[in-house]
Amino acid sequence: MGVSKEQAAENRRAIVAAAAKLFRERGVDGVGVAELMKAAGFTQGGFYNHFKSKEALVAEVVATEMSKGATKMVRMLQRAAPKAEARLEKEINHYLSQGHRSDIESGCPVAGFSGDTPRLSVEARSQFAVGLDDLISILAGLIAEAPSNPEKPDRRTLREQAISLCSQMVGALVLARAVAEPTPALADEVLESSRRNLLAHFGKS
């Protein structure tokens, strides 16, 4: 008996979810097709019923995770900070927290995939770029809502400010994760210093 279209779609989603978890934990090159199919609960032979290649799977994983990341961020901000002017400060505090640093599996996909992306296919890199642009747009909206500092006016456009903020947050998170296991004190220092600097510029603290 063949598999229904609904079940085939569900199986495909399961493969994507298992691959996303493993790719985030160990990197794309560190995970083979057999291992990820086993993690999804299927045999290796079934992989090519869903994807023509590992590259095609990687591109779908990146696209899916980027979309989920943007949606999750918007929903979290709406729940955690109903007042618009507080959302940017909430996002900075959350993004540069120890909890987010440890949440490699479901944290920001921009930080999660930035190390792998230069080695991926054109399609995967394009999907990453779309997700990055979405993050920048969300941050630009948060900056627009935040109270400005009349003593230190920022003459840059909202997009320029958002790109700078995104680069600093993602960079700090990636560095903190890189040193968290051997030197947790340094990882905390990277997050705390970056958080204080950004809040001094963008936040009310």
Side-chain angles (χ1 to χ4, degrees), residues 20-21 24-25 99-108 112 177:
K21 181 177 184 296
R24 281 172 172 268
E25 290 176 348
H100 190 211
R101 183 191 70 200
S102 300
D103 189 15
I104 296 174
E105 182 180 328
S106 58
C108 174
R177 285 178 174 174

Side-chain angles (χ1 to χ4, degrees), residues 82-170:
K83 292 184 178 180
E85 64 270 18
R87 290 175 186 159
L88 177 59
E89 190 170 355
K90 288 283 187 181
E91 176 59 16
I92 292 171
N93 280 319
H94 163 73
Y95 200 98
L96 298 176
S97 66
Q98 293 180 359
H100 190 211
R101 183 191 70 200
S102 300
D103 189 15
I104 296 174
E105 182 180 328
S106 58
C108 174
V110 175
F113 289 105
S114 60
D116 278 315
T117 300
R119 298 184 296 275
L120 301 182
S121 67
V122 172
E123 176 62 21
R125 281 181 277 144
S126 296
Q127 295 295 345
F128 182 88
V130 170
L132 175 60
D133 196 62
D134 287 344
L135 175 57
I136 290 169
S137 295
I138 293 171
L139 292 176
L142 295 178
I143 293 170
E145 295 174 344
S148 58
N149 186 344
E151 296 181 1
K152 296 180 180 179
D154 196 327
R155 305 300 183 187
R156 297 174 298 173
T157 66
L158 286 175
R159 184 169 176 82
E160 288 173 333
Q161 293 180 61
I163 290 172
S164 177
L165 174 59
C166 180
S167 300
Q168 291 177 75
M169 291 200 309
V170 172

